């Protein structure tokens, strides 16, 4: 994943969570707050998955299942 995209996803996640917290206050729209919070968590999960599946930049290539 491109570093610019990674940064943008982090920014979007933070802003979605911040807005969700604002909407969760009394008188806010809790349904939308829950959705926004869920989207923020999903964006963080995408970042984690991208990091876990990223191929190493150096070293030998190892095929899955090879030992």
């Amino acid at each position: 994943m491109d570093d610019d995209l990674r940064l943008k996803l982090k920014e979007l996640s933070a802003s979605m969570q911040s807005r969700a917290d604002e909407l969760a206050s009394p008188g806010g729209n809790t349904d939308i707050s829950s959705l926004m919070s869920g989207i923020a968590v999903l964006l963080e999960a995408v970042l984690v998955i991208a990091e876990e599946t990223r191929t190493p930049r150096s070293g030998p290539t190892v095929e899955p299942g090879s030992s």
Side-chain angles (χ1 to χ4, degrees):
M1 180 181 289
D2 182 65
D3 288 338
D4 291 336
L5 179 57
R6 186 181 316 279
L7 179 61
K8 187 64 176 173
L9 286 174
K10 285 181 182 182
E11 289 172 359
L12 285 172
S13 177
S15 67
M16 292 284 276
Q17 190 60 54
S18 174
R19 185 67 178 128
D21 292 343
E22 291 172 13
L23 290 172
S25 63
N29 190 333
T30 56
D31 291 339
I32 298 296
S33 172
S34 296
L35 287 171
M36 291 179 86
S37 183
I39 292 168
V41 169
L42 180 64
L43 291 174
E44 290 291 329
V46 166
L47 288 168
V48 169
I49 291 168
E51 188 65 31
E52 291 294 321
T53 59
R54 190 163 80 175
T55 56
R57 292 181 183 253
S58 63
T61 301
V62 178
E63 293 295 322
S66 299
S67 296

